[in-house]
Amino acid sequence: MQKIINKMSEKPVRVRFAPSPTGPLHIGGVRTALYNYLFAKKNNGTFIIRIEDTDQTRFVSGAQDYIMDALNWCGIIPTEGPGIGGEYGPYVQSERKDMYRPYAEQLVANDKAYYAFDTPEELDEMRDRAKAMNMPNWQYNSVTRTSMKNSLSLPADEVKRRLENGDPYVIRIKMPRNFDVRFEDLIRGWVTVNTNNLDDKVLFKSDGMPTYHLANIVDDHTMAISHVIRGEEWLPSAPMHIMLYEAFGWEAPRFAHLPLLLRPDGNGKLSKRDGDRLGFPVFPCDWHTAEGELYSGYREKGYLPEAFINMLAFLGWNPGTTQEIFSMKELEEVFTLERVSKGGAKFDPEKTKWFQQQHLKAVSDDQLADLLINQYGAKVDKTSLTKIVHLMKERAIFPQDILTEGVYLLERPTEIDASSIEKKWKDDSASLLNGWLEKLASISEFSAHSIEEVFKAYIAERNVGIGAVMFLFRLLVTGHGAGPSMFEISEFLGKQEVIERLKWGLTTVESMKK
RNA sequence: GGCCCAUUCGUCUAGUGGUUAGGACGUAAGAUUUUCAUUCUUAAAACAGGAGUUCGAUUCUCCUAUGGGCUGCCA
């Protein structure tokens, strides 16, 4: 009974993914979005997108559209967000600009924050000087603030004068001294930090915008966010965020800090340069920079969104069973934060391909044919294409492989590899193939099965092995040394076409021999 | 440097105070297949190190090492 009551009094699950539009979203960000989304779905909650664009100097045109487009391709669909709407909008921080200052002022009034007039140049100077004295981390904190220019150290009338004068200022949090901040991370357990290690972070900038720290707390609170699921890089500032909630007198949401995605070689956080350097995409979709550079994406490489998502889900999470192939729907049912691992995960491009292959196999021939027509511009009738898909699917990783590797099903070969002929063409080859040509011409029902019957009878009759005829038959008809069953291929091409190709092949080889 | 976080096969990971430490990718060998791919079988491959607690630690505690993150009027 107690449990039921607790459950009923729990707040509804509302989570947000809060990217900054400073460039394309990389796969680490997509994974964070995915875990938020899955957590929301699993708990009948709401998944929200909020754009954190409080740094006007880092704004990148097109980035926000990219983020929304990429998430959409992934199937990570928000219930509330920019362009979608919702009760708690607007969902872009620059559009919420006016609401932050009163909150910052409120903290100053309550002695939880203060005005600081030090210029960026003065602060740089301070840090440089400290560094020169072998103190690499000078901080604006409870001991140093007394010797800086702020509303705590300056006389009240001067503060008033500066404010009225319109002097530029920032608002900093007044971090208390020697206090243990404790919070329970849903993935890592209890984390404790003493406030002596925390500095007086800027909450409100001199340009009239809040910093991430303030905006994040105000928005999470006003948007009724229940769980903050974000990357591990935020763990060090989480205690400060807890202090802010406390300063406002608000209940803090639950926190979960996700392990980082590491690069496949060596160590370190996966970065956008790693992709091109190591030959795999780090972005969900292609991104063209203003300078004309291209960062490649999974979508354009031919990855299926579900394969991409499946792979990402398993980078730092597992279901506790041996099942590895999941659809988005299935992930929504089994995902829990308890099964997210603590350590960083190295990204594995090889396994990514395997996920893709597995998901491709799961797509029906019919759907794949549609995909090839609609997205890859295949110019074949649907019926033939479906047959081609059926023949080629097992040896394809990407949809387009079916078209490129099965090109001979669509058009006649134009040349025959000389070195293959060199190796495989024997003295009796011409005779064997001509004999086979005659047999082919005699088949009335040109099905894979009957062709195979006739073929077997023929090699028995000529007293040779399969290899003496088959490889060359394949080479002359398809121009390739490998592929699906030649009997199936023959049936698909049809008697007339096979015979013509074989004749062409025989003449071509003859001319090569001269 | 300081603070915080992490550490099981090459990689992603399961797991327990007593297990032959399990699975997957990759690798190797073999089987199937006209070939390639698929599929199947098998193999090699891991508890970072040192103390302590304990009858017994991969598992619990501490230390060390290693790796990572943060240390901006960036997010």
Side-chain angles (χ1 to χ4, degrees):
Chain A
M1 194 58 195
Q2 189 60 38
K3 267 192 179 151
I4 293 167
I5 290 166
N6 282 346
K7 190 136 199 174
M8 284 173 68
S9 67
E10 264 176 30
K11 285 191 291 185
V13 167
R14 290 175 55 81
V15 295
R16 85 300 193 276
F17 175 60
S20 196
T22 54
L25 192 58
H26 88 15
I27 55 179
V30 178
R31 192 196 57 171
T32 303
L34 174 65
Y35 285 10
N36 270 282
Y37 174 82
L38 293 175
F39 182 76
K41 288 289 166 189
K42 166 79 180 181
N43 296 289
N44 283 316
T46 307
F47 172 65
I48 298 148
I49 302 276
R50 184 174 70 223
I51 300 294
E52 309 227 323
D53 58 346
T54 51
D55 186 354
Q56 297 152 330
T57 65
R58 293 216 304 161
F59 175 81
V60 173
S61 165
Q64 185 179 327
D65 287 341
Y66 177 97
I67 292 166
M68 300 306 285
D69 176 47
L71 292 178
N72 191 54
W73 176 69
C74 293
I76 302 172
I77 313 295
T79 321
E80 296 173 26
I84 297 150
E87 307 261 312
Y88 298 82
Y91 295 91
V92 177
Q93 286 181 333
S94 57
E95 293 171 21
R96 301 167 72 82
K97 183 177 175 183
D98 293 340
M99 64 183 287
Y100 302 108
R101 189 191 292 270
Y103 284 108
E105 299 283 1
Q106 179 194 328
L107 291 180
V108 175
N110 295 336
D111 197 32
K112 306 286 190 187
Y114 59 91
Y115 300 110
F117 302 98
D118 320 270
T119 65
E121 293 72 31
E122 287 170 336
L123 292 172
D124 284 345
E125 220 174 281
M126 205 63 202
R127 291 193 181 95
D128 288 346
R129 228 180 312 159
K131 203 174 269 177
M133 286 159 65
N134 244 329
M135 297 180 59
N137 66 327
W138 181 86
Q139 293 193 316
Y140 209 120
N141 59 23
S142 58
V143 327
T144 60
R145 66 179 167 234
T146 54
S147 53
M148 303 300 287
K149 281 183 256 170
N150 54 59
S151 60
L152 263 25
S153 62
L154 264 22
D157 58 335
E158 188 182 344
V159 172
K160 194 168 173 240
R161 206 208 74 228
R162 279 175 179 267
L163 256 21
E164 280 166 0
N165 196 34
D167 282 10
Y169 66 89
V170 300
I171 294 175
R172 287 180 181 273
I173 185 171
K174 187 179 172 189
M175 189 59 71
R177 182 131 189 90
N178 197 24
F179 176 80
D180 276 336
V181 190
R182 248 165 83 77
F183 73 98
E184 190 182 17
D185 187 279
L186 262 14
I187 293 169
R188 288 149 211 286
W190 286 98
V191 176
T192 308
V193 178
N194 190 283
T195 53
N196 288 356
N197 298 312
L198 268 25
D199 60 343
D200 290 356
K201 279 266 180 301
V202 171
L203 302 177
F204 197 82
K205 299 185 273 187
S206 58
D207 66 358
M209 287 291 263
T211 60
Y212 166 84
H213 302 293
L214 207 225
N216 160 53
I217 268 69
V218 168
D219 287 346
D220 283 346
H221 180 256
T222 55
M223 291 181 176
I225 299 301
S226 63
H227 296 74
V228 171
I229 304 168
R230 74 225 303 192
E232 188 183 332
E233 67 269 28
W234 294 108
L235 195 52
S237 49
M240 198 264 300
H241 296 159
I242 302 273
M243 291 303 288
L244 268 178
Y245 280 104
E246 211 143 289
F248 278 117
W250 295 337
E251 188 189 343
R254 307 299 308 275
F255 288 95
H257 290 94
L258 269 22
L260 258 17
L261 247 40
L262 275 16
R263 36 198 272 211
D265 69 325
N267 297 101
K269 200 157 76 155
L270 190 65
S271 76
K272 71 169 156 191
R273 303 241 165 260
D274 292 331
D276 299 316
R277 195 173 52 79
L278 299 164
F280 62 86
V282 291
F283 297 106
C285 309
D286 276 2
W287 168 258
H288 301 270
T289 66
E291 294 75 38
E293 272 180 295
L294 167 70
Y295 289 103
S296 64
Y298 283 85
R299 178 173 65 187
E300 287 75 8
K301 285 262 191 249
Y303 281 88
L304 265 10
E306 290 224 325
F308 176 63
I309 284 306
N310 196 164
M311 173 277 290
L312 275 185
F314 269 72
L315 239 36
W317 172 88
N318 76 85
T321 65
T322 55
Q323 185 184 348
E324 293 207 82
I325 301 303
F326 281 83
S327 68
M328 185 68 110
K329 272 271 160 290
E330 291 173 310
L331 288 171
E332 289 172 17
E333 283 161 23
V334 298
F335 181 82
T336 60
L337 284 175
E338 290 72 45
R339 297 209 63 90
V340 173
S341 39
K342 299 176 189 177
K346 276 187 188 173
F347 175 76
D348 183 353
E350 283 306 316
K351 190 143 189 185
T352 305
K353 265 190 200 157
W354 178 79
F355 274 112
Q356 162 63 15
Q357 195 174 24
Q358 298 303 307
H359 278 270
L360 188 75
K361 263 166 52 179
V363 180
S364 73
D365 296 349
D366 186 65
Q367 285 174 299
L368 211 41
D370 282 335
L371 183 79
L372 288 170
I373 289 167
N374 298 331
Q375 286 181 36
Y376 293 89
K379 290 182 186 63
V380 210
D381 66 282
K382 174 83 181 283
T383 316
S384 304
L385 188 55
T386 308
K387 286 183 195 161
I388 292 173
V389 167
H390 182 71
L391 286 175
M392 300 302 300
K393 195 167 80 175
E394 281 206 336
R395 60 211 78 216
I397 294 178
F398 300 105
Q400 66 268 32
D401 293 347
I402 291 168
L403 264 19
T404 56
E405 284 169 26
V407 63
Y408 48 80
L409 298 171
L410 298 161
E411 50 200 61
R412 293 183 176 185
T414 52
E415 55 178 8
I416 292 168
D417 180 43
S419 72
S420 299
I421 291 297
E422 190 73 30
K423 265 182 251 166
K424 302 280 184 173
W425 194 267
K426 307 290 186 236
D427 292 341
D428 61 347
S429 293
S431 151
L432 283 167
L433 286 169
N434 273 306
W436 173 231
L437 181 59
E438 278 172 36
K439 293 286 180 189
L440 279 170
S442 73
I443 300 172
S444 52
E445 189 215 330
F446 209 71
S447 70
H449 179 73
S450 48
I451 299 166
E452 183 169 3
E453 294 290 302
V454 175
F455 181 83
K456 281 177 178 162
Y458 176 65
I459 57 169
E461 177 191 322
R462 297 290 300 256
N463 196 27
V464 292
I466 296 168
V469 184
M470 188 59 86
F471 179 80
L472 290 167
F473 176 44
R474 177 186 296 282
L475 193 64
L476 299 201
V477 171
T478 70
H480 286 239
S485 156
M486 270 314 284
F487 306 123
E488 305 268 359
I489 289 174
S490 299
E491 178 184 317
F492 172 80
L493 292 174
K495 183 170 169 179
Q496 191 64 30
E497 179 71 12
V498 173
I499 286 170
E500 279 175 29
R501 285 189 185 197
L502 188 49
K503 279 182 179 165
W504 166 84
L506 285 162
T507 346
T508 308
V509 172
E510 216 171 296
S511 63
M512 287 164 73
K513 286 280 157 193
K514 281 173 190 167

